[in-house]
Amino acid sequence: MIFADTETTDLTEPKVCSIAMIKVDQFWNIVDTLYEMINPEKEVSLNASQVNGFSLELLQSYKTFRELADKIINFVGDEVVVFHNADFDMSVLNKEFAECGKTVDWKIIDTLRLSCDILNSKHKYVKHNLNALTEYYNLSNLRDDKHDALIDTKMLKEIYCCLMKDYKEIKNTKDFWTQRGLVELAHYPKSKVCIGGMCYKTCDPNRTREYWRGYVWLNSGDVVEPI
């Protein structure tokens, strides 16, 4: 299994300016790491720079994504890749690979979806970002004032382990989904302050029904195997 994160130039026409991946064994020990700064060949927006600390001037001496694409593909191989908010990361990566004339069909787990479905079904009011989940699970927050892809992957690994414990607890609850129904999941009262601040993130019962027993899917959206 691989835990991964990217930093990008902006949110409108994003290019990858940093990527980190850590590979773990069955005991959750880190056995290999890929961590690359990338020349995005475009300016980093002011908002993004305030978050990740990057600028084109800082990054222009590094390799471009095209030069690193094969290295990234080979590192992943046939492993399952875990992202937080995978829709965003994979949309950016798919576009980058397409510009290189390459495609990937990785098996993806999205901890944002897991967090929403698992914690909402437990009626826990938690904002579903890494900082809030770290606080909720009482884990060490490794971040300083800037986001770093490698640090975020290490935090993500710890959060995923905690989510899986909760997942197993819920899955083993007798007739859990029959008794409560998926519609009851997670509509936060707007007046409720949750861990990490105000949270308006809700679960789509249809999406939950589709993904709950799987969460591993290809870029096409097809669920390929259970956790």
Side-chain angles (χ1 to χ4, degrees):
M1 179 174 280
I2 289 171
F3 295 87
D5 185 50
T6 62
E7 297 295 337
T8 63
T9 55
D10 55 85
L11 295 178
T12 50
E13 292 292 331
K15 300 277 288 179
V16 178
C17 55
S18 174
I19 185 168
M21 293 181 163
I22 55 173
K23 190 176 294 184
V24 300
D25 61 19
Q26 67 269 37
F27 305 109
W28 302 102
N29 298 314
I30 298 173
V31 294
D32 203 358
T33 301
L34 179 148
Y35 183 39
E36 297 285 349
M37 305 297 182
I38 297 174
N39 178 1
E41 301 179 285
K42 67 173 285 189
E43 284 293 345
V44 181
S45 73
L46 178 60
N47 286 343
S49 183
Q50 289 173 339
V51 171
N52 57 38
F54 291 133
S55 65
L56 180 58
E57 183 181 6
L58 177 69
L59 295 166
Q60 61 188 357
S61 62
Y62 290 96
K63 292 180 179 179
T64 62
F65 191 92
R66 181 179 297 273
E67 294 173 295
L68 293 166
D70 286 333
K71 181 177 181 180
I72 295 168
I73 291 171
N74 292 335
F75 185 86
V76 172
D78 60 357
E79 299 278 349
V80 173
V81 187
V82 183
F83 286 100
H84 195 73
N85 194 10
D87 287 347
F88 175 76
D89 290 279
M90 285 309 302
S91 68
V92 180
L93 287 168
N94 284 333
K95 186 176 179 182
E96 292 273 25
F97 281 122
E99 289 174 0
C100 303
K102 301 177 186 297
T103 58
V104 297
D105 199 14
W106 295 342
K107 292 174 284 187
I108 305 296
I109 293 176
D110 187 350
T111 50
L112 177 59
R113 291 185 184 182
L114 279 175
S115 171
C116 289
D117 292 343
I118 292 170
L119 297 184
N120 289 344
S121 69
K122 289 167 67 73
H123 303 282
K124 301 297 183 184
Y125 296 100
V126 183
K127 197 167 185 176
H128 301 284
N129 58 44
L130 293 186
N131 284 340
L133 291 171
T134 298
E135 181 182 347
Y136 173 73
Y137 283 119
N138 198 26
L139 301 169
S140 298
N141 193 326
L142 305 174
R143 280 178 172 171
D144 53 22
D145 59 335
K146 300 293 182 187
H147 285 204
D148 177 272
L150 184 59
I151 286 173
D152 284 1
T153 58
K154 292 176 179 178
M155 289 170 60
L156 185 58
K157 177 176 82 79
E158 301 304 319
I159 289 168
Y160 178 78
C161 292
C162 293
L163 285 169
M164 285 301 93
K165 289 177 184 174
D166 280 344
Y167 170 83
K168 288 173 183 174
E169 175 189 316
I170 292 171
K171 189 177 177 183
N172 292 333
T173 303
K174 186 180 179 185
D175 297 326
F176 179 86
W177 295 112
T178 308
Q179 290 168 15
R180 293 205 176 166
L182 289 163
V183 232
E184 192 179 322
L185 288 181
H187 287 276
Y188 287 101
K190 290 188 179 180
S191 59
K192 179 79 176 178
V193 177
C194 60
I195 291 178
M198 291 298 291
C199 181
Y200 300 98
K201 188 76 179 177
T202 61
C203 283
D204 175 350
N206 294 321
R207 170 175 275 187
T208 308
R209 183 178 294 109
E210 179 183 352
Y211 286 117
W212 177 257
R213 296 184 188 284
Y215 285 103
V216 182
W217 60 93
L218 303 179
N219 288 345
S220 61
D222 298 328
V223 177
V224 291
E225 61 182 84
I227 291 174

